[in-house]
Amino acid sequence: MSPRAAAICLVTLSTGTAMAADDLSPRPVMIHPVLVDGKPVWNGGADAVIVGLKAKGDGYLSVRASPTTKAREIDRIANGRYVMQFPGDPQAEKNNFIGIVYLDSPEAPGPISIKCAIPGDFYDGPYKGPCKSGWVSWRFVQVHAD
């Protein structure tokens, strides 16, 4: 590293504008069961659709590797895209993000939970299925009811 680059790094660190390493580390979307009387009754996910992107905007919603705007963009999705949302992550909620799982290609609504192999009601852990997952701003995710 050149002396100039090292000086820039030191200034950045001393001014507090550097991001914490854990803000940028990829984080899996977590699935937490909903408990009723202390017993898991449902995996906590809900079918949802991406809405509210401005027609004259850039036309996509960034999917991030962790629940912060500082994280790497891993995908872009458009209005009308069906997803499964997973709330309940304190850091994500603090940053106004929500975890989503979605199919690789846009498709009509359907049982995303089946197509994406969402674990059953008693599972509590990271999503590890075949579909894509990541973090998006919660304000563009609307629960979808048929």
Side-chain angles (χ1 to χ4, degrees), residues 2-79:
S2 72
R4 184 172 190 274
I8 290 171
C9 287
L10 286 174
V11 169
T12 301
L13 290 173
S14 66
T15 61
T17 58
M19 293 174 276
D22 58 349
D23 285 344
L24 300 176
S25 299
R27 287 198 33 220
V29 170
M30 298 299 288
I31 298 172
H32 300 291
V34 172
L35 304 176
V36 174
D37 294 328
K39 296 178 184 173
V41 294
W42 154 58
N43 68 18
D47 290 328
V49 64
I50 302 302
V51 298
L53 298 172
K54 294 180 183 175
K56 294 185 180 181
D58 49 24
Y60 65 86
L61 176 62
S62 293
V63 179
R64 304 266 176 199
S66 63
T68 174
T69 57
K70 298 172 186 172
R72 180 174 59 87
E73 181 183 79
I74 57 175
D75 202 359
R76 294 177 173 180
I77 56 179
N79 271 333

Side-chain angles (χ1 to χ4, degrees), residues 27-32 43-50 61-68 74 77 82-93 95-102 112 118 127 132-139 141-143:
R27 287 198 33 220
V29 170
M30 298 299 288
I31 298 172
H32 300 291
N43 68 18
D47 290 328
V49 64
I50 302 302
L61 176 62
S62 293
V63 179
R64 304 266 176 199
S66 63
T68 174
I74 57 175
I77 56 179
Y82 291 95
V83 301
M84 192 161 190
Q85 69 169 15
F86 290 93
D89 182 291
Q91 179 190 0
E93 289 173 6
N95 292 342
N96 297 317
F97 272 73
I98 193 162
I100 63 168
V101 170
Y102 57 104
I112 291 176
I118 303 297
Y127 173 70
K132 292 184 174 185
S133 64
W135 303 91
V136 297
S137 173
W138 64 267
R139 69 184 179 145
V141 181
Q142 181 178 44
V143 172

Side-chain angles (χ1 to χ4, degrees), residues 78 80-82 103-108:
R81 185 71 175 263
Y82 291 95
L103 297 164
D104 191 28
S105 61
E107 291 186 22

